[in-house]
Amino acid sequence: MIDLAKALIIGRLTQDPEIRYTPKGMAVATMRIAVNHRVRDRAEEASFFDVVAFGKLAETCGEYLSKGRAVLVEGRMRERRWDSKEGRRTRLEIVASTVEFLDPPPETAGGEKAGDAGRGAAGSSGGEDEEPP
């Protein structure tokens, strides 16, 4: 049997992507995506997903994405575990392999589009070899 932990979500960023760099200089972007869905009585609920991207994909997301932008994220599920003062903690996150920008980029003050890359997709992060341990 083959194990699979893949995710595909469409939603909106709850805040601007947070970009940081590893000691080796690789970009890491963390984002939180809200996915709205309807429940029986037609009320809407939101689910929130933590997404992390590495390398060129992270840099592209940091440059062209901002709070409220709609995205399609495809990637694998990963559980992170660590110890804190409160005890053992875990977090489930999506490691993005592809991030597609679904809405047009915001317009600048001069009425021009803020970058052509915002209309398309940000490609692969280059594989898991780039991911920090």
Side-chain angles (χ1 to χ4, degrees), residues 9 29-33 49-53 73 93-96 99:
I9 62 169
T30 54
M31 302 170 275
R32 192 155 174 88
I33 311 292
F49 297 90
D50 293 317
V51 176
V52 64
V73 175
E93 63 188 8
I94 299 169
V95 178
V99 175

Side-chain angles (χ1 to χ4, degrees), residues 83-109:
D83 292 319
S84 70
K85 294 177 184 176
E86 295 83 28
R88 188 84 168 150
R89 306 281 310 258
T90 62
R91 171 171 280 175
L92 192 61
E93 63 188 8
I94 299 169
V95 178
S97 57
T98 303
V99 175
E100 186 172 336
F101 309 156
L102 298 179
D103 52 5
E107 293 189 12
T108 62

Side-chain angles (χ1 to χ4, degrees), residues 50-68:
D50 293 317
V51 176
V52 64
F54 296 97
K56 181 67 175 161
L57 178 59
E59 292 172 348
T60 303
C61 289
E63 185 174 349
Y64 294 107
L65 291 178
S66 58
K67 179 180 178 178

